[in-house]
Amino acid sequence: VLGPLNPADYTVTYHLSQLAADAGTGAISPTNAYSNISNPQTIYIRVVQNSDPAVFDTSKSFLLRVVARPVATSFTGTTTICSGSSASLAFSGTANATITYSDGSTNQTVLLDGTGNATVSVSPTVTTTYSLVSIVNSGTPSCPNPAAGSVVITVNDTPIAGTDGATTVCETSTASIDL
């Protein structure tokens, strides 16, 4: 705001209207914890020379736009698979955001579509817990947000069919075979 001017020589205040900036009334305070009342919202700047408060400028303003942090709303998946099979992980959240998830050793990312959904296929070889790490929006500014949730995929050995030995049966008889 001050450019080349010495900050020690000036006081900068922010106001909700041009009228308030011109009058030097209703300064936003504290400036680091302001909740905007519309989005976007014009904020008016008043710069006063400390040595002569009659010298001030109110010709500058800026547009304050607050971007909501993205959220992951659902994380689900197949809970049990056979070894060698794949499972689906389904994600839901803020549309067009990127979710980072982990298999416990490697982080992966998935982009949510315009409706806020995505599905990925995974093929774990052992029982694996997939956990959400974070979600970040696709716009500017980039607003990351931690995410929580997990899906455990249990991997079972593939069953092997077989017999318990040889069985001889007469042509018109029946027999029980244990597999």
Side-chain angles (χ1 to χ4, degrees), residues 116-179:
N117 296 297
T119 303
V120 296
S121 181
V122 293
S123 301
T125 57
V126 297
T127 296
T128 303
T129 300
Y130 292 87
S131 300
L132 295 179
V133 175
S134 64
I135 183 168
V136 63
N137 64 317
S138 60
T140 302
S142 175
C143 299
N145 202 14
S150 62
V151 172
V152 177
I153 299 178
T154 302
V155 179
N156 292 328
D157 291 332
T158 305
I160 300 172
T163 64
D164 59 354
T167 303
T168 305
V169 180
C170 292
E171 186 176 325
T172 58
S173 302
T174 61
S176 222
I177 302 174
D178 293 329
L179 297 177

Side-chain angles (χ1 to χ4, degrees), residues 20-144:
D22 291 341
T25 61
I28 295 171
S29 181
T31 57
N32 65 348
Y34 173 69
S35 295
N36 61 326
I37 54 177
S38 64
N39 199 18
Q41 180 179 7
T42 302
I43 302 295
Y44 301 87
I45 304 168
R46 178 182 176 94
V47 178
V48 177
Q49 185 175 343
N50 293 335
S51 63
D52 184 359
V55 177
F56 64 89
D57 177 42
T58 60
S59 64
K60 304 288 187 217
S61 65
F62 62 91
L63 199 59
L64 175 64
R65 182 175 158 253
V66 177
V67 177
R69 295 180 95 179
V71 293
T73 55
S74 176
F75 179 42
T76 60
T78 311
T79 56
T80 304
I81 61 171
C82 289
S83 180
S85 298
S86 62
S88 292
L89 298 175
F91 305 85
S92 295
T94 302
N96 302 311
T98 300
I99 289 181
T100 300
Y101 66 98
S102 174
D103 63 5
S105 62
T106 305
N107 283 355
Q108 302 290 330
T109 60
V110 60
L111 177 64
L112 300 180
D113 63 21
T115 64
N117 296 297
T119 303
V120 296
S121 181
V122 293
S123 301
T125 57
V126 297
T127 296
T128 303
T129 300
Y130 292 87
S131 300
L132 295 179
V133 175
S134 64
I135 183 168
V136 63
N137 64 317
S138 60
T140 302
S142 175
C143 299

